[in-house]
Amino acid sequence: MNPYWGKDFFEFFSLLFLRLVRAMKGDLAFCDLASDEVQLLVLAGVGISTSLIGNLLILKRMTMLANALSHTILLGLVSAYLFLFPLMGASEEGIGMDLNLLMAAAFFTSLFTVLSTEFLKRVAKVQEDASIGLVFTTLFALGITAVTLFARNLHLEADAVMGNVDALHLHDLKLVGFVALLNAVVMLLFFKEWKITAFDSRLAASLGFCPLLFDLLLLFQTALTLVGAFRAVGVFLVLALLVFPPLAARRLTHNLGRLFFLSPLLGAAASVLAVALSRHLLSVYHLALSTAGLLVFILGCLYLLLLLPSLTFRKKKGIIL
Amino acid sequence: MTSLVDFLTDSVLRGPTIGSMLMCIATALVGVILLIRKETLLGEALSHAAYPGIVGSALFASLIFKTPGADEGMSVILGAFLSASLGLFLISFLQKKVSLHSDAALCMILSLFFGVGVLLASRLQVTHAVWYKQISLYLYGQAATLVDRDMAIYAVLVLITALCVFFLYRFVQWIYFDRAFAKSVGASVRKVEFLVHFLLILSIVIGMRSVGVVLLSGMLIAPAVAARRWTSRLSMLFFLAALIGGGSAFLGNYLSVNLPLLFHRESLALPTGPMIVLVGAAISLFSLFFSLESGLIFRAYRMRAFKNRCLLENVLKRLWKEGEKREFSFSEIVHFNQLSSLSGSLLFFKMRCQGWLQRKGKGRYRLSSDGWRRASRTVRLHRLWEVYLVDYLGQHADRVHRSAEEIEHLLSYELERELTRLLKDPKKDPHKQPIPNDHESLLG
């Protein structure tokens, strides 16, 4: 029984607070999490992991490459499943449940995309934008075809491409938490390296950091983040989570360290708001809206809100910091 | 199995087939302009930006009609057009006023619009399930429900696109290949840009029914990339791209109907949209490898052939240095040039075929007059180039050999004649070696 049933926006937060207090006292076990709370935590986790990555993607102007990755994920998942199935035996729950599967899918996704794009660009001399576009549409078409062929044992329909927040489960939380933690650790650990490769890759190369290695690491992490988010918000909407929080945070500050801190905050806050608002709309207006769609909408509004001051005052730098 | 002709005549099949062919022709035509402008990712962003318009128009129409009627297609086209235009406006706004990089701006608008589309669709799914089903077709494309009436609508739209492209042709040629000239004749770059973007959005709303908004950019890019491999003429590029676009649509439809029949497996009933994109991608991959001018295979072949020619000329040069009357055995030839026995015999065979080696007694060969002339020309070019480098570019005589070693395989007869004239037909090279000139007849 979901305790949040019929609550409006403010009641949602007061109940959340009460349950949080109870959980701290130890009255509430982990498995007692209501579905709204699972959604909230998963979306917040996704928001945190994507916004961390997004900062770097935007700095390196690789967001359209992330878009390409989001398309090729489908093929990555299918091939990970097909490869792992004979290796590790059946994972009966289906796709997106298993940590190994997650990693393998991310690996295949980034591998397919990078190798084929580079092949077209370097060997076949196709211009860059066209090679990205050609690769991901083709791989996506292949992915859809493969899903149609193997859908019966994959628990993965074409609808799953859109994600479904309401079908989230506790083990999704585990996966998303893992990805968010990994991203945070990698970002903190290599902060200096990221900074130098993002702003001056030649200096980085001359100092002995291999920019290519970090590009590849970033791509793999992006793929991992996308795969992790795929069950919650689907492969397309996760892009909004990648670009909006960092860009919104850039309206506030231009310092990379603060960006790394602010953008996950914004991402997580927007996720919490989205879950609460979706509950509010359902309880009060009986509007059942897609929480992921709502999240993207909120992110858009957030960006607009932060954009307005700098548009009116014509300030180029961040407004606060 | 359904025959090829049935796809164009059968009353059930001709709607989807001809319909999606028309759509893909439109996207292919516009794709060429996008490829030249290096703006293909704009096509990707705008095709996603059309999605909320599709859903929105269905949401609006569902308030008036209970079920989707015959005119639903038009309202969807209008909605998609409006929302893609809004997307385009926002992208240029973000780039100019907020000074975002185009990469981030595209990604932002793409995801924001798609998210709003999903939001609206989730509303529609609850209230009007029939309408929801109808608009889901635009996501991955489903041409199967097209009838003759739709075909007529799309034919008109494609005609408009083609006319615009025809009208734009000269401007595209001027602006993208000769900007200075375009300015001098007063072509307004802004106006042309506006028209190009209008065309892009038009082709997106036309094409989305065949391959869907998600895959649409594939049909924008693939035909243009493939066509580019076969021609460098702009007019031919448009023609070939349209041909490839139409062809992949036809084949895509054909395969998606016939594959399950061919293998007697229902599970092979693959959706038309992805099938069309896959066929298009296959065609462009084929073109990348096998096109005559710039295909990978032929490029590799030409590189290989050039390498072989260099090797051959070097071997001839080596034999030439031994003197005209000198006879060689096969093993000597291999030994002089430090060849492996395999490539040695290959070269030996080639020289025999070309008639550059003459047989003199058992196992003894010498350069024929043709071979002699060929070799002495190579040496002549080498030494002429050395003279040129020393006399005209002021290089030291010790350092010119390596460059001459490469250029001797490249200089044409015209260049040789020019060099001879420029250097006043020198007789000695910088190392005091004679410059041979016994192939006068070839110079003509």
Side-chain angles (χ1 to χ4, degrees), chain B residues 45-61:
Chain B
L46 290 187
S47 60
H48 283 71
Y51 185 56
I54 299 171
V55 188
S57 72
L59 208 56
F60 187 69

Side-chain angles (χ1 to χ4, degrees), chain B residues 33 37 39 96 168 171-197:
Chain B
I33 304 183
R37 288 172 56 91
E39 253 184 359
K96 282 179 192 142
L168 265 177
F171 294 102
V172 170
Q173 215 172 13
W174 287 346
I175 290 177
Y176 301 118
F177 296 105
D178 195 349
R179 195 169 270 270
F181 178 69
K183 275 198 184 133
S184 72
V185 293
S188 163
V189 178
R190 275 180 64 106
K191 268 184 206 153
V192 172
E193 204 144 90
F194 179 78
L195 204 54
V196 165
H197 286 152

